């Protein structure tokens, strides 16, 4: 996950390089970013950015800016060229975000198919493979906020304890008790997590307007006010506002506004991608729920006894399949698949905390299926 500060360091470099020179721009960016700090250390060894072998897109951005600035290109022309390079970098980053989420959707479908192999003797917990896709999602996400996970986790543990106590008190079957306990954990976690999430959503929805207004006032108002640091994005962008305000030049202020506008558009598109692609990860789990429900409805007796019916047609086919596995194995498969799917859906949309909070929603249908078994 890339922090907002790392991206803001890129913005600082783009703004400062044409006017103040590459060396000073790198120095200012390195105060905010570990990646830029490493580049600054390497620049002390080599004479040209083109000789650097590491640094990713920042090395390319640095070398690109170095070519324009050292050649004496007009600062306005150099800025537009460097900004265009940054926009290409952000666009490429967004494409990778979409590609990673698409890959997770495909992989989750494959995991669902693999999980259904429980009917042929595969381990019922194979659905937990979904959790291995979290790093793929995490790597391309942007850190928009920071949550306190300690209190929600404690709440979840308390909920889990209550769920286990109810299981023992009501003498629930093992699998039903497991589902109830996991759902209780999710509820306990959500009680202390969702207020933080709701606060973030409320602050995020007004963020674009507040940032646009604050930076726009630099051009229109004699006494502008800096962005209110209600989100991490606004908190980090304050330093760009301070720089533009201290310079006072209309050209500098316009450059800062252009860079901030590009960055805010990138943030908006990244968030939108998560909200659009995330729910589709649950498609495979929904299909497994429907398929297991169909098998239970068509041949529940065969599932219970692991015997093959002699009926013909569709019922016979369903009986042959369902007779290969018992009810407990299929329901265990659904529990593992549902829990893991909930987590990665929440992670893709926003965070793991959201995924844990969605556990009751994803596992509730399994309780209904248990009533059919």
């Amino acid at each position: 996950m890339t922090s907002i500060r790392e991206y803001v360091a890129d913005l600082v470099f783009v703004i400062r390089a044409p006017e103040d020179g590459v060396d000073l721009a790198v120095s200012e960016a390195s105060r905010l970013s570990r990646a830029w700090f490493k580049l600054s250390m390497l620049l002390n060894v080599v004479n040209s950015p083109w000789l650097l072998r590491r640094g990713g897109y920042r090395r390319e951005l640095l070398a690109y800016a170095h070519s324009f600035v050292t050649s004496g290109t007009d600062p306005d022309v150099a800025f537009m060229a460097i900004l265009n390079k940054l926009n290409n970098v952000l666009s490429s980053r967004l494409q990778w975000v979409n590609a990673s989420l698409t890959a997770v959707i495909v992989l989750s479908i494959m995991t669902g198919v693999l999980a259904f192999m429980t009917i042929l003797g595969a381990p019922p917990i194979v659905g937990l493979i979904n959790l291995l896709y979290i790093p793929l999602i995490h790597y391309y996400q942007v850190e928009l906020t920071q949550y306190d996970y300690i209190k929600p986790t404690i709440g979840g543990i308390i909920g889990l304890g209550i769920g286990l106590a109810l299981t023992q008190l009501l003498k629930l079957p093992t699998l039903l008790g497991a589902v109830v306990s996991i759902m209780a954990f999710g509820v306990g976690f959500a009680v202390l997590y969702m207020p933080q999430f709701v606060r973030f959503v409320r602050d995020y929805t007004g963020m674009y307007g507040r940032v646009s207004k604050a930076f726009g006032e630099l051009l229109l108002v004699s006494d502008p006010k800096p962005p209110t640091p209600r989100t991490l994005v606004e908190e980090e962008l304050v330093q760009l506002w301070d720089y533009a305000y201290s310079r006072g030049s209309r050209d500098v202020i316009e450059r800062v506004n252009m860079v901030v506008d590009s960055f805010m558009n990138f943030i908006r598109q990244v968030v939108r991608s998560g909200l659009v692609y995330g729910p589709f990860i649950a498609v495979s789990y929904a299909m497994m729920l429907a398929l297991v429900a169909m098998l239970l409805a068509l041949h529940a007796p065969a599932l219970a006894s692991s015997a093959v019916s002699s009926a013909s047609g569709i019922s016979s086919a369903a009986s042959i399949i369902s007779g290969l596995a018992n009810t407990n194995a299929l329901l265990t498969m659904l529990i593992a698949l549902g829990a893991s799917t909930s987590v990665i859906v929440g992670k893709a949309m926003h965070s793991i905390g959201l995924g844990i909070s969605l556990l009751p929603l994803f596992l509730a249908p399994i309780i209904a299926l248990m009533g059919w078994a």
Side-chain angles (χ1 to χ4, degrees):
M1 178 178 284
T2 306
S3 70
I4 290 295
R5 178 165 294 187
E6 292 286 338
Y7 282 113
V8 171
D10 298 341
L11 306 186
V12 168
F13 175 80
V14 171
I15 294 170
R16 301 292 293 265
E19 194 74 27
D20 303 325
V22 172
D23 292 339
L24 181 57
V26 171
S27 176
E28 291 296 320
S30 63
R31 293 192 302 105
L32 303 174
S33 166
R34 185 176 300 176
W36 278 106
F37 178 77
K38 292 179 179 178
L39 277 178
S40 68
M41 293 295 99
L42 292 174
L43 281 177
N44 295 329
V45 180
V46 299
N47 296 324
S48 172
W50 293 106
L51 299 178
L52 296 175
R53 295 185 178 183
R54 295 183 179 182
Y57 73 84
R58 291 181 177 88
R59 182 194 67 82
E60 297 179 9
L61 192 64
L62 172 60
Y64 198 72
H66 182 266
S67 299
F68 280 95
V69 175
T70 55
S71 64
T73 305
D74 181 80
D76 289 331
V77 176
F79 168 75
M80 292 305 300
I82 300 171
L83 176 60
N84 183 63
K85 181 67 174 179
L86 176 66
N87 287 334
N88 291 338
V89 167
L90 295 179
S91 177
S92 175
R93 190 75 176 181
L94 180 62
Q95 290 177 4
W96 277 107
V97 169
N98 294 336
S100 67
L101 293 175
T102 301
V104 171
I105 293 174
V106 174
L107 290 171
S108 68
I109 293 175
M110 296 174 62
T111 301
V113 174
L114 183 62
F116 193 68
M117 291 298 100
T118 298
I119 63 175
L120 298 178
I125 61 172
V126 72
L128 295 178
I129 291 176
N130 274 335
L131 298 178
L132 298 178
Y133 310 145
I134 290 178
L136 180 60
I137 301 172
H138 183 81
Y139 181 78
Y140 291 104
Q141 281 187 318
V142 179
E143 185 184 26
L144 296 177
T145 187
Q146 294 177 342
Y147 290 112
D148 174 18
Y149 280 106
I150 297 177
K151 293 179 181 178
T153 301
I154 294 174
I157 294 173
I158 294 174
L160 178 62
I162 294 174
L164 292 173
L166 286 175
T167 299
Q168 296 296 323
L169 182 63
L170 302 177
K171 297 182 179 179
L172 300 177
T174 303
L175 286 181
L176 180 57
V179 174
V180 170
S181 298
I182 296 173
M183 292 176 64
F185 174 82
V187 171
F189 186 94
V191 167
L192 297 176
Y193 172 85
M194 291 307 292
Q196 300 180 68
F197 176 70
V198 171
R199 191 181 310 117
F200 163 76
V201 172
R202 184 177 62 249
D203 292 340
Y204 172 82
T205 52
M207 180 181 68
Y208 299 100
R210 293 192 301 270
V211 170
S212 178
K213 178 182 177 182
F215 282 88
E217 285 182 348
L218 289 169
L219 293 170
L220 304 174
V221 180
S222 59
D223 185 24
K225 292 180 173 56
T228 305
R230 294 174 60 179
T231 63
L232 281 180
V233 176
E234 292 166 289
E235 183 179 340
E236 296 297 338
L237 288 178
V238 166
Q239 52 197 310
L240 293 183
W241 189 95
D242 290 339
Y243 171 75
Y245 182 75
S246 63
R247 294 299 293 267
S249 168
R250 187 175 184 86
D251 289 342
V252 173
I253 294 174
E254 288 176 347
R255 292 174 190 172
V256 171
N257 271 273
M258 292 173 65
V259 170
V260 170
D261 182 67
S262 295
F263 177 62
M264 294 303 293
N265 184 57
F266 168 72
I267 294 294
R268 182 186 290 110
Q269 291 179 339
V270 168
V271 173
R272 183 185 301 140
S273 294
L275 295 176
V276 171
Y277 285 88
F280 283 98
I281 298 175
V283 168
S284 61
Y285 174 60
M287 292 172 58
M288 290 303 104
L289 281 174
L291 191 54
V292 171
M294 181 187 69
L295 293 178
L296 289 172
L298 289 177
H299 200 67
L303 279 170
S305 62
S306 298
V308 178
S309 170
S310 60
S312 59
I314 298 178
S315 295
S316 177
S319 299
I320 294 173
I321 296 174
S322 60
L324 299 175
N326 58 40
T327 307
N328 288 344
L330 289 177
L331 293 177
T332 302
M333 176 270 290
L334 284 180
I335 294 172
L337 185 63
S340 62
T341 301
S342 175
V343 172
I344 63 170
V345 166
K347 176 59 176 173
M349 295 180 66
H350 180 63
S351 67
I352 290 179
L354 179 60
I356 296 175
S357 300
L358 292 174
L359 281 172
L361 179 63
F362 275 75
L363 296 183
I366 300 178
I367 295 181
L369 292 180
M370 288 180 177
W372 289 5

